[in-house]
Amino acid sequence: AVAGALRARVAPLFEFVTPMPYVDLQQLLDEANAAGQFYYDKGTDLADLSDDVIAVVTEHMRGRSSPLSVALFYPLGGAFSDVGEDETAFGGTRTPHYSLVMVGAALDPEVLAAERAWVRSFWTALQPLAGGIGSYINLMAEFEPDRVRASYGPTKYARLARIKSKDDPRNVFHHNANIKPAEA
Protein backbone atom coordinates (compact mmCIF):
# COMPACT_ATOMS: atom_id res chain seq x y z
CA ALA A 1 0.00 0.00 0.00
CA VAL A 2 2.79 2.45 0.91
CA ALA A 3 4.85 1.58 -2.17
CA GLY A 4 1.76 1.95 -4.35
CA ALA A 5 1.02 5.40 -2.94
CA LEU A 6 4.62 6.49 -3.62
CA ARG A 7 4.51 5.12 -7.18
CA ALA A 8 1.28 7.05 -7.83
CA ARG A 9 2.95 10.33 -6.86
CA VAL A 10 6.33 9.96 -8.56
CA ALA A 11 7.32 7.46 -11.22
CA PRO A 12 10.37 5.55 -9.93
CA LEU A 13 13.57 5.41 -11.97
CA PHE A 14 14.19 1.94 -10.51
CA GLU A 15 12.69 -0.14 -7.74
CA PHE A 16 13.87 -2.67 -5.18
CA VAL A 17 10.46 -3.34 -3.65
CA THR A 18 9.55 -6.99 -4.00
CA PRO A 19 7.77 -9.64 -1.99
CA MET A 20 10.08 -11.76 0.15
CA PRO A 21 9.65 -14.84 2.30
CA TYR A 22 9.17 -14.12 5.99
CA VAL A 23 12.30 -16.10 6.93
CA ASP A 24 14.37 -13.85 4.65
CA LEU A 25 12.90 -10.80 6.37
CA GLN A 26 13.83 -12.24 9.77
CA GLN A 27 17.41 -12.80 8.59
CA LEU A 28 17.97 -9.17 7.54
CA LEU A 29 19.43 -8.32 10.96
CA ASP A 30 21.51 -11.49 11.38
CA GLU A 31 24.82 -9.89 10.36
CA ALA A 32 24.37 -6.96 12.73
CA ASN A 33 23.55 -9.38 15.55
CA ALA A 34 26.35 -11.86 15.09
CA ALA A 35 26.94 -14.71 17.51
CA GLY A 36 29.65 -13.99 20.07
CA GLN A 37 28.76 -10.32 20.50
CA PHE A 38 27.20 -8.96 23.69
CA TYR A 39 23.93 -7.02 23.81
CA TYR A 40 21.68 -5.15 26.22
CA ASP A 41 18.52 -3.41 25.08
CA LYS A 42 15.65 -1.46 26.47
CA GLY A 43 12.66 0.04 24.68
CA THR A 44 10.15 2.78 25.19
CA ASP A 45 7.15 4.22 23.38
CA LEU A 46 6.98 7.83 22.22
CA ALA A 47 3.89 9.66 20.99
CA ASP A 48 5.96 11.68 18.53
CA LEU A 49 9.47 12.80 17.70
CA SER A 50 9.24 16.17 19.40
CA ASP A 51 12.14 18.60 19.65
CA ASP A 52 12.63 17.43 23.24
CA VAL A 53 12.87 13.78 22.17
CA ILE A 54 15.34 14.68 19.41
CA ALA A 55 17.43 16.63 21.93
CA VAL A 56 17.63 13.65 24.31
CA VAL A 57 18.49 11.28 21.46
CA THR A 58 21.17 13.62 20.10
CA GLU A 59 22.72 14.10 23.52
CA HIS A 60 22.76 10.40 24.40
CA MET A 61 24.02 9.08 21.07
CA ARG A 62 27.26 10.94 21.76
CA GLY A 63 27.68 9.07 25.05
CA ARG A 64 27.99 5.54 23.75
CA SER A 65 31.32 3.75 24.01
CA SER A 66 30.81 1.22 21.24
CA PRO A 67 30.20 2.09 17.59
CA LEU A 68 28.01 -1.03 17.46
CA SER A 69 25.41 0.50 19.79
CA VAL A 70 22.32 1.97 18.13
CA ALA A 71 18.95 3.57 18.70
CA LEU A 72 16.26 2.21 16.37
CA PHE A 73 12.94 3.96 15.81
CA TYR A 74 9.93 1.95 14.66
CA PRO A 75 6.95 3.99 13.47
CA LEU A 76 3.76 2.16 14.44
CA GLY A 77 0.66 3.32 12.62
CA GLY A 78 -1.27 2.44 9.47
CA ALA A 79 -2.56 -1.14 9.57
CA PHE A 80 -1.11 -1.50 13.08
CA SER A 81 -3.58 1.14 14.27
CA ASP A 82 -6.53 -0.43 12.45
CA VAL A 83 -6.70 -3.23 15.05
CA GLY A 84 -8.62 -2.62 18.27
CA GLU A 85 -6.74 -2.16 21.56
CA ASP A 86 -7.91 -5.48 22.99
CA GLU A 87 -8.06 -7.61 19.83
CA THR A 88 -4.56 -9.07 20.22
CA ALA A 89 -2.12 -9.94 23.00
CA PHE A 90 0.28 -7.30 21.63
CA GLY A 91 0.92 -4.86 24.44
CA GLY A 92 0.64 -1.12 24.37
CA THR A 93 -1.61 1.24 22.56
CA ARG A 94 -2.78 0.94 18.97
CA THR A 95 -2.65 4.72 18.64
CA PRO A 96 0.02 5.74 16.09
CA HIS A 97 3.34 6.25 17.86
CA TYR A 98 7.04 5.41 17.74
CA SER A 99 8.68 2.50 19.47
CA LEU A 100 12.32 3.19 20.26
CA VAL A 101 14.82 0.49 21.19
CA MET A 102 18.23 1.43 22.50
CA VAL A 103 20.73 -1.38 21.93
CA GLY A 104 24.07 -1.49 23.69
CA ALA A 105 26.34 -3.80 21.69
CA ALA A 106 29.96 -4.76 22.28
CA LEU A 107 32.57 -7.30 21.32
CA ASP A 108 33.60 -7.94 24.92
CA PRO A 109 31.89 -7.92 28.34
CA GLU A 110 33.91 -4.99 29.72
CA VAL A 111 32.63 -2.65 27.01
CA LEU A 112 29.12 -4.04 27.46
CA ALA A 113 29.07 -2.81 31.07
CA ALA A 114 29.53 0.76 29.82
CA GLU A 115 26.92 0.25 27.09
CA ARG A 116 24.41 -1.14 29.60
CA ALA A 117 24.88 2.02 31.69
CA TRP A 118 24.48 4.10 28.51
CA VAL A 119 21.20 2.36 27.59
CA ARG A 120 19.80 2.73 31.11
CA SER A 121 20.73 6.42 31.25
CA PHE A 122 19.24 7.03 27.79
CA TRP A 123 16.00 5.22 28.74
CA THR A 124 15.72 7.14 32.02
CA ALA A 125 16.24 10.49 30.24
CA LEU A 126 13.39 9.65 27.82
CA GLN A 127 10.87 8.64 30.48
CA PRO A 128 9.44 12.13 31.08
CA LEU A 129 8.66 12.22 27.33
CA ALA A 130 7.49 8.61 26.98
CA GLY A 131 4.09 7.01 27.16
CA GLY A 132 5.00 5.21 30.39
CA ILE A 133 7.48 2.53 31.43
CA GLY A 134 6.04 -0.14 29.14
CA SER A 135 7.20 -0.99 25.64
CA TYR A 136 7.00 -3.72 23.07
CA ILE A 137 7.73 -6.78 25.21
CA ASN A 138 10.49 -8.06 22.88
CA LEU A 139 12.44 -4.85 23.55
CA MET A 140 13.19 -5.89 27.12
CA ALA A 141 16.43 -7.54 28.19
CA GLU A 142 15.20 -7.56 31.80
CA PHE A 143 11.62 -8.44 32.63
CA GLU A 144 10.76 -6.22 35.56
CA PRO A 145 7.21 -7.20 36.63
CA ASP A 146 5.97 -3.59 36.71
CA ARG A 147 7.26 -2.96 33.17
CA VAL A 148 5.72 -6.21 31.90
CA ARG A 149 2.34 -5.20 33.39
CA ALA A 150 2.65 -1.69 31.97
CA SER A 151 3.54 -3.06 28.55
CA TYR A 152 0.26 -4.95 28.29
CA GLY A 153 -1.93 -2.55 30.25
CA PRO A 154 -4.20 -3.60 33.14
CA THR A 155 -7.09 -5.06 31.11
CA LYS A 156 -4.98 -7.09 28.71
CA TYR A 157 -2.60 -8.23 31.44
CA ALA A 158 -5.54 -9.49 33.56
CA ARG A 159 -6.96 -11.38 30.56
CA LEU A 160 -3.55 -12.98 29.83
CA ALA A 161 -3.17 -13.89 33.52
CA ARG A 162 -6.57 -15.65 33.42
CA ILE A 163 -5.45 -17.58 30.32
CA LYS A 164 -2.17 -18.44 32.03
CA SER A 165 -4.02 -19.77 35.11
CA LYS A 166 -5.94 -22.12 32.84
CA ASP A 167 -3.08 -23.22 30.53
CA ASP A 168 -0.06 -22.98 32.88
CA PRO A 169 -1.36 -22.79 36.46
CA ARG A 170 2.00 -23.84 37.97
CA ASN A 171 3.81 -21.11 35.95
CA VAL A 172 6.18 -23.62 34.35
CA PHE A 173 6.83 -21.22 31.48
CA HIS A 174 8.26 -18.30 33.45
CA HIS A 175 11.72 -17.72 31.93
CA ASN A 176 10.46 -14.90 29.73
CA ALA A 177 8.44 -11.73 30.15
CA ASN A 178 6.41 -13.66 32.69
CA ILE A 179 2.74 -13.18 33.23
CA LYS A 180 1.86 -14.87 36.52
CA PRO A 181 -1.30 -16.98 36.58
CA ALA A 182 -4.32 -15.18 38.01
CA GLU A 183 -5.22 -16.14 41.56
CA ALA A 184 -8.35 -18.28 41.70
Side-chain angles (χ1 to χ4, degrees), residues 22 33 35 45 49 59 66 79 83 90 108 125 146 151 180:
Y22 185 67
N33 296 286
D45 291 334
L49 300 181
E59 175 188 338
S66 170
V83 178
F90 188 94
D108 61 68
D146 58 335
S151 294
K180 293 184 180 179

Side-chain angles (χ1 to χ4, degrees), residues 87-162:
E87 291 181 33
T88 73
F90 188 94
T93 178
R94 288 296 178 151
T95 304
H97 67 282
Y98 292 88
S99 184
L100 169 62
V101 59
M102 295 139 284
V103 182
L107 298 175
D108 61 68
E110 291 77 29
V111 175
L112 182 63
E115 293 310 279
R116 184 180 298 113
W118 170 76
V119 168
R120 288 175 176 163
S121 169
F122 195 169
W123 184 85
T124 299
L126 283 169
Q127 286 315 288
L129 308 169
I133 62 171
S135 71
Y136 176 49
I137 212 76
N138 286 353
L139 301 181
M140 292 184 186
E142 299 166 323
F143 303 119
E144 301 103 326
D146 58 335
R147 287 197 66 221
V148 172
R149 272 192 237 56
S151 294
Y152 288 108
T155 303
K156 196 173 294 185
Y157 186 89
R159 181 178 56 138
L160 293 170
R162 285 191 304 274

Side-chain angles (χ1 to χ4, degrees), residues 15-98:
E15 186 170 312
F16 293 110
V17 176
T18 185
M20 70 179 354
Y22 185 67
V23 171
D24 291 349
L25 175 67
Q26 287 179 310
Q27 293 171 343
L28 286 175
L29 296 175
D30 283 358
E31 188 176 339
N33 296 286
Q37 294 184 26
F38 299 90
Y39 300 95
Y40 177 82
D41 57 64
K42 203 161 185 158
T44 195
D45 291 334
L46 302 161
D48 58 30
L49 300 181
S50 67
D51 289 345
D52 290 339
V53 167
I54 298 300
V56 170
V57 171
T58 302
E59 175 188 338
H60 280 80
M61 287 306 294
R62 288 184 231 147
R64 61 194 175 126
S65 301
S66 170
L68 301 173
S69 296
V70 296
L72 304 169
F73 290 88
Y74 297 96
L76 299 173
F80 172 85
S81 298
D82 292 342
V83 178
E85 295 283 343
D86 295 321
E87 291 181 33
T88 73
F90 188 94
T93 178
R94 288 296 178 151
T95 304
H97 67 282
Y98 292 88

